[in-house]
Amino acid sequence: MNTTPRPRKKSTNISLDVSLVEEAKTLNINLSSTLNSALEDVVRLKRQAMWREENKTAIEASNRFVEEHLIPRSSDGLRVIK
């Protein structure tokens, strides 16, 4: 018996291209599962972009510090620790 809690789901109305929906049904594509997965990807990418923007100053400062004080780059551009 599977005791893993399932995420809550919410019914929603969306508008999709009719021919695309018909083709998906013909191909036995589960729209809810597919759209949920795609939305998870989009949300994750958006969160990553927002995090990078919110932390841009700190990331740049860290990169400058490393460039100026720590590990030199090898000829192929990689950091080398000896």
Side-chain angles (χ1 to χ4, degrees), residues 10-18 21 31-36 39:
K10 177 177 176 28
S11 291
T12 186
N13 293 322
I14 57 173
S15 298
L16 301 170
D17 180 278
V18 173
V21 171
L31 289 178
S32 293
S33 175
T34 301
L35 294 173
N36 196 78
L39 186 57

Side-chain angles (χ1 to χ4, degrees), residues 17-36:
D17 180 278
V18 173
S19 61
L20 191 57
V21 171
E22 290 172 355
E23 185 172 5
K25 287 183 179 183
T26 300
L27 297 170
N28 295 317
I29 295 172
N30 180 312
L31 289 178
S32 293
S33 175
T34 301
L35 294 173
N36 196 78

Side-chain angles (χ1 to χ4, degrees), residues 41-53:
D41 291 344
V42 170
V43 167
R44 179 180 35 72
L45 292 172
K46 181 67 173 182
R47 284 182 178 164
Q48 288 174 350
M50 289 172 61
W51 184 91
R52 281 192 301 273
E53 185 61 33

